[in-house]
Amino acid sequence: MSIKEQSSVRNKYYPEAIRYMNNAQEALDKAGKEYNYYIDEKYVKAACGIAYSGVLKALDGYLILKEIPKLKKGKRKSKEYYEMNLATLDRKVLTSYNAAYGILHLGGYYEGLTHIKTIKTGLEVAFEIIE
């Protein structure tokens, strides 16, 4: 992949992932806080879903930069797709991906976790992946 193509990928995926993260933070700001928890679960779920989507956007760009072949048209990327490719490329990114998946996707989005420190940790891990 040429330097120009790499730059194009970075200029497309990185800003988009950051935009997702900014949108996630805006949703969290609407959730309100009481003690160590967010008040409105709906906004926390939305924020976690948006942040996890930002992680996937960043990983898609990363995999393109590493010249991982794209899936056939119409095929959906799964958790296993990301895990398999990250396992061969970068174990640290894989570990961060698994943490983001567990905290943001499963815990925050599906289970409705509202503990502020837990969600904040998930967002920090997401930013680590994006950067």
Side-chain angles (χ1 to χ4, degrees):
M1 179 175 283
S2 73
I3 292 174
K4 185 176 181 179
E5 290 171 323
Q6 289 176 3
S7 179
S8 175
V9 169
R10 283 189 183 100
N11 290 335
K12 177 182 178 185
Y13 288 88
Y14 178 76
E16 187 71 6
I18 293 297
R19 188 174 74 85
Y20 276 65
M21 296 304 292
N22 290 336
N23 290 345
Q25 188 58 56
E26 288 174 15
L28 274 181
D29 291 343
K30 293 178 183 178
K33 298 176 183 177
E34 186 174 277
Y35 306 109
N36 294 322
Y37 295 88
Y38 289 106
I39 298 169
D40 195 332
E41 182 182 300
K42 175 182 91 168
Y43 289 112
V44 177
K45 284 184 165 199
C48 289
I50 294 166
Y52 182 69
S53 294
V55 167
L56 296 181
K57 182 65 72 175
L59 290 176
D60 288 343
Y62 177 70
L63 294 176
I64 290 170
L65 289 173
K66 295 297 184 178
E67 299 183 358
I68 299 299
K70 292 184 178 183
L71 292 175
K72 293 180 183 176
K73 191 169 182 151
K75 292 270 187 170
R76 184 176 295 188
K77 294 174 193 159
S78 65
K79 178 181 186 291
E80 291 75 21
Y81 167 82
Y82 291 103
E83 287 178 327
M84 179 185 70
N85 286 301
L86 293 174
T88 61
L89 294 171
D90 190 331
R91 301 289 291 180
K92 182 179 177 190
V93 176
L94 172 62
T95 300
S96 295
Y97 168 72
N98 284 329
Y101 178 81
I103 295 169
L104 296 173
H105 189 62
L106 295 179
Y109 182 72
Y110 278 111
E111 296 175 9
L113 286 177
T114 57
H115 188 259
I116 292 171
K117 286 184 181 179
T118 303
I119 300 302
K120 184 176 179 181
T121 299
L123 294 176
E124 288 170 358
V125 169
F127 273 116
E128 287 174 12
I129 293 169
I130 292 168
E131 292 177 359

